[in-house]
Amino acid sequence: MRRNWRKIKNLEQLIKKNELTQSQETKQSNLQNALASDLDENITALRSIYENCSDVVFRSFLIEGKDKAVLLYIEGLSNIEELNDNVLIPLMKKSEEQQSNKQTDQQSDSSTSFSEKKISVSNIKEVQSFSDVINQISSGNPVILIDQKDRGFSVALAKWEKRAIEEPSAESVVRGPREGFIESIGVNIALLRRKIRSPKLKMEEMELGCLTKTSVVLSYIDGVAEQTLIDEAKNRLNRIDIDGILESSYIEEFIEDNPYSPFPQVLNSERVDVISSYLLEGHVAILVDGTPFVLVVPTTFYSLMQASEDYYQRPMLSTAIRWLRYLFIVMSLLLPSLYVAILTYHHEMVPTTLLISMAASREPIPFPALVEAFLMEVMFEALREAGLRLPKQIGAAVSIVGALVIGQAAVEAGIVSAPMVMVVALTGIASFSVPRYNAGMALRMLRFPMLILAGILGLLGIMLGIIAIVTHLCTLRSFGVPYLSPMAPMKARDMKDVMVRLPRWAHTSRPHLTGDYNKYREAPDQKPDPTKGGE
């Protein structure tokens, strides 16, 4: 009896599942159907689609007191005041010519007359299917359906709350623009248009996400970006088939060349000037609605190590800071490993006085240098994550006080030595100099295998680790562009903005990414010279 009851229960569940699947398939097929001429039939179909959706409003009214119509919109996404003043009131008001001139009534049946004479809104579109209606009202644009018409009208009156334009906290500068992208893609496009005012700046929009219907815009400068690169970016975006896109990182994971590499192959930024500069160099930008982070492809290792402020300071100062940044990058990757290797295998490399001091500080420590370094590195990363996740008012204080208190207590308790605390602290400070957060995370991740190699093989292990990392970087590509370009392969013409930053007047040519390209971006021979006369 119990087995039979289970079989009956499973059969009932299977029947319910099949019915649910059939109903969902029926709804999906109904979305592609064209609108009917009968208004009641359209309303019934839309109410079944938006079943249990209390925020969807169906506002019935009469156009000029005679034609039945309904206004559809979602609360919170549409501008209600403009909707009342420019749509409902003009449509519901009876015209004086209605009874005197029948010809006017016949002309008013056309969609052109309806949109031009009765609705005082700049942008009106025709919608002909249920899917068009759903897309428009989901974007905040109210839709008007009229009886005896097999099409509706979408009114561009979208309005929702958005964040004010402000400086990105992760990419702040001393000198430079203070504006950054926000979560509204329309505002972000306008910010780019404000920087690059040429009609050659193209914006190609597409929708990604079966459920979210997220707007994604591919931006490039026609005649500057290589057509092969543009086509490749379009192909990779069109291949994405997912139910939802909530942030640009979703797209980044689908379009990168090597998903198993710790190094990012797609650059992201919140700054308008950074994205504009890459567009002017021939790159392609990808804007995603709902996030302030804009993607740039292709990218290189050296692009990730450049800060926007490098181009707003004097060239010699920017070059010095860039060299200091590269030194800190090497320190953040190798300093703990070098300390462990030298302390474990290569005592002869340390001066005698310093070696005696370090041996005295390590005498009460029960762990080898490798375990000691691992403990401190894990603790430092935990404190960093705690500082990021805690509220801003207490996050910085907790991370700094926690590092001081825990470090001092660990030294006094004889768990770690004072030199190891200094090494880990210097490594953490050096890692903060990486301009891009995702590139800094890659270096933080690689620090641990480098520690293991140093603890097992000493300096030989560090050399093997460096060879493996450089080999991996040489094999990486970003949309077909070598990751270490223009240094490997060497392109002397593009080395003006890699290890050094030459003056602005020396950047006469654009970086050569791939294929044919628009070579020159400024006139030659513009070096400042007081002896030159004006023309």
Side-chain angles (χ1 to χ4, degrees):
M1 290 293 294
R2 184 174 298 177
R3 290 182 179 178
N4 294 334
W5 180 82
R6 287 181 179 176
K7 289 181 179 179
I8 294 172
K9 200 69 176 176
N10 293 335
L11 184 61
E12 290 178 352
Q13 292 178 355
L14 183 61
I15 292 173
K16 289 182 179 179
K17 184 177 180 180
N18 291 334
E19 291 177 352
L20 181 61
T21 304
Q22 291 177 0
S23 63
Q24 290 177 350
E25 291 177 353
T26 303
K27 288 184 178 181
Q28 290 294 331
S29 61
N30 290 337
L31 294 180
Q32 305 300 327
N33 293 339
L35 293 170
S37 299
D38 187 8
L39 179 62
D40 294 333
E41 183 179 345
N42 292 333
I43 293 176
T44 302
L46 288 169
R47 285 189 183 275
S48 65
I49 293 173
Y50 283 105
E51 186 179 2
N52 299 327
C53 297
S54 59
D55 56 338
V56 180
V57 178
F58 291 79
R59 171 65 164 88
S60 300
F61 63 98
L62 294 176
I63 298 177
E64 295 184 347
K66 59 174 184 176
D67 296 328
K68 291 195 305 180
V70 66
L71 179 67
L72 278 76
Y73 65 92
I74 298 178
E75 286 185 296
L77 297 184
S78 301
N79 192 330
I80 304 301
E81 293 78 11
E82 295 288 338
L83 191 59
N84 292 333
D85 296 340
N86 298 325
V87 178
L88 278 179
I89 293 177
L91 289 178
M92 296 176 68
K93 185 178 180 181
K94 294 183 179 180
S95 63
E96 298 178 356
E97 299 178 359
Q98 178 183 350
Q99 298 177 353
S100 61
N101 193 347
K102 295 182 179 179
Q103 185 178 0
T104 305
D105 290 339
Q106 294 175 356
Q107 293 177 353
S108 66
D109 290 337
S110 67
S111 61
T112 304
S113 176
F114 179 85
S115 61
E116 289 180 355
K117 297 182 179 180
K118 295 183 178 180
I119 300 179
S120 56
V121 177
S122 60
N123 190 1
I124 298 176
K125 296 181 181 178
E126 286 191 4
V127 291
Q128 299 181 351
S129 65
F130 289 102
S131 61
D132 294 339
V133 173
I134 293 170
N135 290 338
Q136 290 298 322
I137 64 175
S138 297
S139 300
N141 301 321
V143 173
I144 303 169
L145 300 178
I146 306 171
D147 196 17
Q148 302 305 318
K149 286 186 178 292
D150 60 353
R151 62 180 59 87
F153 301 93
S154 168
V155 187
L157 290 176
K159 180 184 178 182
W160 50 77
E161 298 298 326
K162 54 180 178 287
R163 183 167 55 91
I165 298 174
E166 55 189 12
E167 183 181 9
S169 58
E171 299 179 67
S172 58
V173 295
V174 176
R175 179 180 179 180
R178 305 291 182 181
E179 57 188 5
F181 292 114
I182 62 173
E183 285 72 17
S184 173
I185 193 170
V187 176
N188 295 343
I189 292 174
L191 290 172
L192 279 179
R193 289 285 184 189
R194 183 182 172 189
K195 287 285 185 184
I196 305 174
R197 304 184 182 185
S198 171
K200 292 184 178 181
L201 177 61
K202 306 301 180 182
M203 301 283 180
E204 297 189 20
E205 186 175 4
M206 60 187 71
E207 278 189 355
L208 295 180
C210 302
L211 299 180
T212 58
K213 303 290 185 182
T214 306
S215 295
V216 177
V217 171
L218 188 71
S219 178
Y220 59 91
I221 298 180
D222 190 20
V224 175
E226 167 57 27
Q227 188 61 42
T228 306
L229 174 62
I230 299 170
D231 295 339
E232 180 65 19
K234 290 180 183 177
N235 292 335
R236 296 195 187 189
L237 290 175
N238 290 327
R239 288 201 301 262
I240 298 176
D241 187 4
I242 191 174
D243 57 354
I245 299 290
L246 302 181
E247 214 274 335
S248 57
S249 62
Y250 284 52
I251 295 178
E252 180 179 349
E253 294 186 22
F254 279 104
I255 65 174
E256 60 186 356
D257 291 53
N258 188 347
Y260 299 107
S261 173
F263 293 95
Q265 297 132 63
V266 179
L267 184 142
N268 65 80
S269 177
E270 294 183 78
R271 294 188 62 87
V272 184
D273 57 330
V274 171
I275 302 301
S276 300
S277 67
Y278 279 108
L279 288 173
L280 292 170
E281 289 184 354
H283 296 253
V284 172
I286 301 173
L287 293 83
V288 182
D289 192 21
T291 176
F293 290 93
V294 177
L295 306 179
V296 175
V297 293
T299 188
T300 63
F301 177 79
Y302 304 103
S303 298
L304 298 171
M305 302 304 157
Q306 296 170 356
S308 58
E309 200 171 6
D310 291 352
Y311 304 94
Y312 304 133
Q313 303 292 346
R314 297 188 61 79
M316 288 187 292
L317 179 61
S318 299
T319 301
I321 294 176
R322 187 171 293 182
W323 276 92
L324 190 63
R325 190 180 298 137
Y326 283 119
L327 174 62
F328 284 159
I329 290 170
V330 174
M331 286 178 57
S332 67
L333 178 64
L334 300 179
L335 187 58
S337 306
L338 287 173
Y339 179 80
V340 170
I342 293 173
L343 203 62
T344 306
Y345 296 101
H346 309 282
H347 306 101
E348 68 279 0
M349 297 181 64
V350 184
T352 305
T353 306
L354 180 59
L355 183 62
I356 294 173
S357 176
M358 293 171 63
S361 65
R362 281 195 47 79
E363 185 178 358
I365 308 301
F367 306 112
L370 178 61
V371 176
E372 185 185 2
F374 252 96
L375 287 175
M376 289 302 299
E377 286 290 344
V378 171
M379 189 173 298
F380 187 85
E381 295 297 332
L383 286 172
R384 176 158 27 190
E385 282 298 312
L388 290 175
R389 305 295 168 238
L390 286 171
K392 292 183 179 180
Q393 292 80 1
I394 61 174
V398 167
S399 60
I400 294 173
V401 173
L404 293 174
V405 172
I406 294 176
Q408 183 65 27
V411 172
E412 292 181 356
I415 299 175
V416 295
S417 60
M420 181 61 74
V421 174
M422 289 182 58
V423 168
V424 173
L426 287 174
T427 305
I429 294 172
S431 65
F432 289 128
S433 64
V434 182
R436 305 293 169 190
Y437 181 74
N438 49 2
M441 288 184 64
L443 295 175
R444 287 160 56 186
M445 183 187 303
L446 291 173
R447 193 183 304 155
F448 291 96
M450 292 297 292
L451 267 175
I452 296 175
L453 289 173
I456 296 175
L457 300 174
L459 291 179
L460 177 61
I462 295 177
M463 293 172 62
L464 293 175
I466 293 174
I467 292 172
I469 292 173
V470 173
T471 303
H472 173 70
L473 290 176
C474 290
T475 59
L476 277 183
R477 294 288 187 274
S478 176
F479 280 70
V481 177
Y483 200 61
L484 293 181
S485 176
M487 186 168 288
M490 176 64 72
K491 297 179 181 178
R493 181 181 296 169
D494 296 343
M495 292 293 292
K496 301 174 182 178
D497 191 23
V498 179
M499 304 304 293
V500 298
R501 207 276 279 180
L502 294 184
R504 181 68 56 191
W505 44 264
H507 292 262
T508 55
S509 59
R510 289 185 178 87
H512 188 185
L513 300 176
T514 178
D516 298 331
Y517 74 114
N518 191 337
K519 180 177 179 180
Y520 297 104
R521 58 178 170 183
E522 65 181 48
D525 195 22
Q526 295 193 75
K527 180 180 178 180
D529 189 356
T531 62
K532 289 183 179 180
E535 295 183 358

